[in-house]
Amino acid sequence: SQLYIENIAVIRQATIDFQQGFHVFTGETGAGKTTIFDAITFALYGSVSGDDRGEKTLRSNFAEESVDSYVDLRFEHQGKEYRVRRSPE
């Protein structure tokens, strides 16, 4: 399983490879931990994980108009591989 993030909130570009097991995300306030969960939730459901944030808060304020913002999530479930790519408005 893999999550790729491009120009989402405070994350310019990141690739996270998930292996089977338990994962812990640590970091300073504002480092992007919640953004990772929002990216996964947005990929799967088209919305973010918190009530106080909306889809419009996903696109990075630092990204130029000409560049894409998106999340790309690849995972396996019951022996099938899935890939979801979603961009905020």
Side-chain angles (χ1 to χ4, degrees):
S1 299
Q2 184 180 70
L3 175 66
Y4 181 78
I5 301 172
E6 177 99 15
N7 295 311
I8 297 293
V10 299
I11 299 176
R12 182 174 172 268
Q13 188 177 59
T15 301
I16 301 169
D17 291 310
F18 296 99
Q19 304 301 320
Q20 189 171 5
F22 186 74
H23 296 83
V24 176
F25 293 96
T26 63
E28 306 229 357
T29 300
K33 299 176 300 294
T34 301
T35 301
I36 293 168
F37 293 108
D38 281 345
I40 294 168
T41 304
F42 180 64
L44 292 173
Y45 304 107
S47 61
V48 295
S49 62
D51 292 335
D52 58 335
R53 296 176 311 281
E55 177 187 336
K56 293 183 183 201
T57 65
L58 282 177
R59 179 162 167 82
S60 175
N61 291 333
F62 306 110
E64 295 179 21
E65 290 286 326
S66 62
V67 299
D68 288 338
S69 290
Y70 64 92
V71 297
D72 188 310
L73 179 63
R74 298 172 191 204
F75 63 97
E76 184 179 316
H77 178 66
Q78 295 183 343
K80 289 186 178 181
E81 291 186 20
Y82 295 90
R83 180 177 182 191
V84 180
R85 179 180 163 137
R86 199 181 297 260
S87 298
E89 291 181 12

